[in-house]
Structure formats: structure tokens, C-alpha cells
Amino acid sequence: MDLIGLLPSFGNFFYTIAAFVVVLSIIVAVHEYGHYIVGRWSGIHADVFSIGFGPVLVKGTDKRGTVWQIAAVPLGGYVKFAGDSGATSGKDAEGMSELDAAQRRRTMHGAPLWARAITVAAGPMFNFIFAFLVFTSLLMYEGVAVDEPVVGEITALPAQPFELAPGDRILAVEGRETETLADFLRSAEDMPAQSVLRYTVERAGSVIDVTGPHPQPPLAGSVALKSAAREAQMQPGDVITAINGTEIATFSELRELVAESGGAPLDLNVWRDGRELELVMTPRSTDLPLADGGFETRYLIGLTSGAVFEYGSRTPGLVEASGIAVDQIWRVIRTSVEGLYYMVIGQISTCNLSSPIGIAEASVAMANDGLIEFVWFIAILSVAIGLLNLFPIPPLDGGHLVFHAYEAVMRRPAGDKAMQILITVGLALVLTLFAFALFNDLTC
């Protein structure tokens, strides 16, 4: 056996595990801290705050008597409040019977209904708040595009050099006026399928005609996770010059040829930093969310169109950035819920459901794409996990909120035995879903 040859695989394996642990630990810590701090504010004592399950690797006790620990299995975490029988927040009936009124008030099961409900809801809410803060901060750090067609740094393309230059304000492309950046991007639909086009620009107070790139060349802007392009190790900035021997000059031509492939393998000629590469990719049937709701299934290789030049940007104010962040959170929630619904009714593939293996693969891919992309991914996953925990299935937070709603309506809590049975059934459902998602990641 060639042990030296295995070293890169081991390195990649440990990198994948490390990225996964970082992502999940951050999200779990945020979620569980929400439970902990709101419970503490509500007068409920936490016995244990754990990141991970299983054997304890390191622990310490704070001045309030809470044990803070990191366990060996990084697939979640929990806060064990006083009165809980375990990590699933079942009731320790025997232990509770030995407490006086003041001691019972400090337990999860002896606290008022309002305190229990907000403590349970705080976990998912902190996931959403965390994502909101991350999205808002990144938007204010990176800025948003200015809707003016002013040329920034021009992307390297095979057809260069162009006469178009940084600082030019684009007035028209092939005679079509472009008052805004949106006009410039839309102009791609009406332009000839050519690598070089005629631009009318304003430069140093004069209006001149120059040569420039097609507004949407077959340029890779981003490479989707778990896609044919990602597996072929395509990179942002790559330009596809031909498919199955047919030369292309626009992204729409790329899209059409991939869609017409029917999933058959494609031979791609790719230009990267002056070098020509030959790659083979097999388009995959992919379920895409539509802007107005629902999904559309198409064959894709996993590329989005890149920008031919850097767009001008500005720093949004706090209110604007916050609004965009809220919109992003809502988009993740809506797409997730619609995706689950369409999987249940059979309109899209269940391969869209991922287990920790899929999350680990996505984590390392986003880490490789850069720090900003990695942090953005953590925020998106935080929203998804917050949403998942609100599902009305014990032992998830949503299941406990259902119990609290029952208590509020019926003026009495559900029976301990009934709750324990429902928690056991719910746990079995969660584990079944986990196993199904794991099967997807191994077979899809």
C-alpha cells in the first residue's frame, strides 16, 4: 500500500472534518446560548451547557453552578436545565418531587409557562438573530452595487485587450442605451453572440466608441456546491470557450447547450489565466427555486454568470442593510419550507435533503471559496437550523412549544407519560429523517 499517496486524502479528510466542526459548533453554541441566557433571565437554572454529545473532553463550572463542557461527538449540543432528566428535556419526576417551591421555581418544569415558553423559543430565535447580524455586518462591510454602468477593474477574458477602460461610463452597447447598470445587464439579451462588441462611453468629458466584451460572456462567477463544475474543479473566473467542439461567446449559449444535453456528458474547453483546459462534465438534474415560489427542474453544471468588470459599490446605511438581511433570512426560510413541501408531494427529488455529510462537504467548499463566503454560509445554515428546530416534533424546540401551547389552552400540562411517549416517537422520527438524509448523501 502506498501510504505516501494517501497523505493528501487524509489531509483533505481532516480539513473537511475541521470545517464541519467549526460551522456546526458556532451554530450550536449560538442556539444553545439562546436557551441558556433567556432561561437564566427567566429564573431557570442551567445544570449543564454542552457543545457536542458523548464523552466529555473538557469542562468547567462557573460561579452559578453551571457546568460548561465540550463533548466528543460534534453533532449538536444541549442545555440541561434543573429538573430535566437528560439532554432531551424530559422531566425528572422523581427528582422534582423532592424539591420545595423555591427550588421548583428554578427548574424548567416548575417555572411559569411564560418562562418555559420563551426559554424554548430563544434557541431558534438566536439563530435568526445571529444570521441577521452576520448578513447586516457583511453587507455594510462589502457594500452593495451602485446602479450606474461605470466600469471598474475589467475581468480577464480570452478576447482581450479591449478598448473599454476603468472609469468609463457606459452610455450604450451596440446602439442600445444603458442609463443604469440594470439596463447594461439586460442588454445582454439583445446583443449579438460575439465576444467583442461596440460600446459608446463617456470618458474624460468626451463621448467615444470603443470595443468591449459581451455583457454576459460564458464566464464563471460562482461554482455551485455538489455540482458537476465543482467536481471538475472549475473556478470563478474560468471562461468556457467551446462545448462539444462548438465555440460559444455568451452565457446564454452555454445555458442552452447544457439544457439541451439531456444529462449526457459534455466536453468543455475552458480558458483559465491564459491556459486552455479540457474538462468533461455531466449536467445534473437540479431543482431550482423560482422567484415567485415553487421549483423548476433543469439540467445544470452549476455555474452562475460572472461580471465582466467590477461594479461600483457603496456602503448601505444600517436601515437598508438590515432590510436586505431580513429579506435574505425570509428567502432562506421560504425556500426551505417550499423545498420540503415539494419533496413530500414528489415534485422535486429527495436528494435535496442533506445530512451532516452534505453539510461537511459544503462547509469545506465554502471555506475554500474565502472567509466572506464561509461566514455567509454559516449564517444561512444558522437560519436553516433555527427553522428546523421550530418544527412541531418532540424533542425539537417546536415540539416543546406545542406542549406549552396545549398547556396554555387546556389550563393544565400534558401528562408526563404522554409527553415521554411523544418525545420517544419524535426522536425516532428525527433519527429516521437523519438516516434518510445520510442515505441521500451516500447515493445521490
Side-chain angles (χ1 to χ4, degrees):
M1 180 180 292
D2 181 10
L3 295 178
I4 299 299
L6 289 177
L7 288 177
S9 297
F10 279 117
N12 185 63
F13 171 77
F14 287 119
Y15 183 43
T16 299
I17 295 299
F20 170 71
V21 170
V22 168
V23 168
L24 199 60
S25 296
I26 290 173
I27 294 171
V28 168
V30 168
H31 181 94
E32 298 304 333
Y33 187 76
H35 290 314
Y36 164 78
I37 193 63
V38 172
R40 198 181 90 187
W41 292 340
S42 303
I44 302 173
H45 175 71
D47 290 335
V48 179
F49 184 109
S50 179
I51 302 299
F53 298 98
V56 176
L57 302 177
V58 60
K59 67 178 180 179
T61 304
D62 67 17
K63 63 181 181 181
R64 294 182 177 84
T66 300
V67 176
W68 297 75
Q69 66 184 37
I70 298 175
V73 184
L75 294 178
Y78 62 91
V79 176
K80 180 182 178 297
F81 288 104
D84 287 346
S85 60
T88 58
S89 299
K91 183 178 179 181
D92 179 9
E94 183 178 349
M96 291 281 292
S97 65
E98 301 174 357
L99 303 179
D100 59 31
Q103 292 172 326
R104 288 177 62 85
R105 173 59 183 85
R106 297 181 71 244
T107 69
M108 171 61 83
H109 304 277
L113 178 59
W114 66 266
R116 287 178 277 140
I118 64 172
T119 299
V120 170
M125 292 304 107
F126 266 54
N127 282 130
F128 298 145
I129 292 169
F130 170 76
F132 170 80
L133 294 174
V134 169
F135 290 146
T136 302
S137 299
L138 290 182
L139 286 164
M140 296 185 72
Y141 173 75
E142 289 211 298
V144 295
V146 176
D147 196 21
E148 295 180 355
V150 177
V151 179
E153 182 179 349
I154 299 176
T155 303
L157 294 169
Q160 282 186 319
F162 301 110
E163 296 171 342
L164 190 70
D168 287 348
R169 193 183 197 288
I170 303 171
L171 304 178
V173 181
E174 292 290 334
R176 172 169 172 168
E177 294 184 0
T178 55
E179 294 183 3
T180 66
L181 181 60
D183 290 338
F184 171 73
L185 296 175
R186 282 193 295 266
S187 72
E189 302 169 6
D190 303 325
M191 293 297 109
Q194 301 172 186
S195 299
V196 182
L197 299 175
R198 178 175 57 88
Y199 280 60
T200 302
V201 303
E202 181 181 347
R203 178 185 298 173
S206 300
V207 175
I208 58 175
D209 285 342
V210 297
T211 59
H214 191 283
Q216 283 194 352
L219 166 69
S222 63
V223 184
L225 300 174
K226 300 177 71 174
S227 66
R230 174 79 66 167
E231 286 192 359
Q233 298 185 333
M234 281 200 70
Q235 301 174 6
D238 287 352
V239 180
I240 298 175
T241 57
I243 298 180
N244 289 341
T246 301
E247 293 187 0
I248 61 174
T250 69
F251 200 86
S252 60
E253 291 177 292
L254 166 63
R255 188 185 297 115
E256 290 169 4
L257 289 171
V258 170
E260 292 170 0
S261 70
L266 300 174
D267 296 317
L268 277 64
N269 295 93
V270 176
W271 182 92
R272 177 185 296 168
D273 298 329
R275 297 181 294 119
E276 292 287 345
L277 308 176
E278 294 183 357
L279 303 175
V280 178
M281 299 183 200
T282 301
R284 298 178 179 178
S285 178
T286 306
D287 301 308
L288 298 173
L290 301 174
D292 55 353
F295 285 78
E296 176 186 26
T297 302
R298 294 202 316 238
Y299 281 104
L300 301 173
I301 58 174
L303 297 179
T304 60
S305 176
V308 293
F309 57 82
E310 287 187 359
Y311 306 142
S313 64
R314 60 179 176 80
T315 301
L318 179 60
V319 173
E320 182 183 2
S322 298
I324 299 173
V326 170
D327 183 66
Q328 175 67 33
I329 292 172
W330 173 245
R331 190 180 303 117
V332 173
I333 292 173
R334 190 190 72 180
T335 303
S336 299
V337 172
E338 288 180 346
L340 287 173
Y341 171 73
Y342 285 110
M343 276 189 278
V344 169
I345 65 176
Q347 288 195 9
I348 65 174
S349 171
T350 55
C351 288
N352 290 282
L353 192 65
S354 289
S355 74
I357 290 179
I359 296 173
E361 292 175 346
S363 299
V364 72
M366 299 309 293
N368 286 331
D369 284 350
L371 179 60
I372 297 297
E373 290 76 9
F374 186 55
V375 174
W376 191 272
F377 170 73
I378 293 175
I380 290 176
L381 194 59
S382 181
V383 175
I385 289 180
L387 174 64
L388 176 64
N389 272 277
L390 286 176
F391 284 7
I393 304 173
L396 301 179
D397 296 329
H400 289 288
L401 289 174
V402 170
F403 292 149
H404 296 330
Y406 173 88
E407 182 177 345
V409 172
M410 302 303 294
R411 304 293 182 181
R412 58 181 174 82
D416 292 343
K417 186 174 182 180
M419 288 180 64
Q420 194 58 49
I421 291 173
L422 289 172
I423 288 175
T424 302
V425 172
L427 183 59
L429 288 173
V430 171
L431 291 175
T432 300
L433 182 63
F434 176 90
F436 181 69
L438 182 62
F439 176 78
N440 278 350
D441 281 329
L442 295 174
T443 60
C444 289

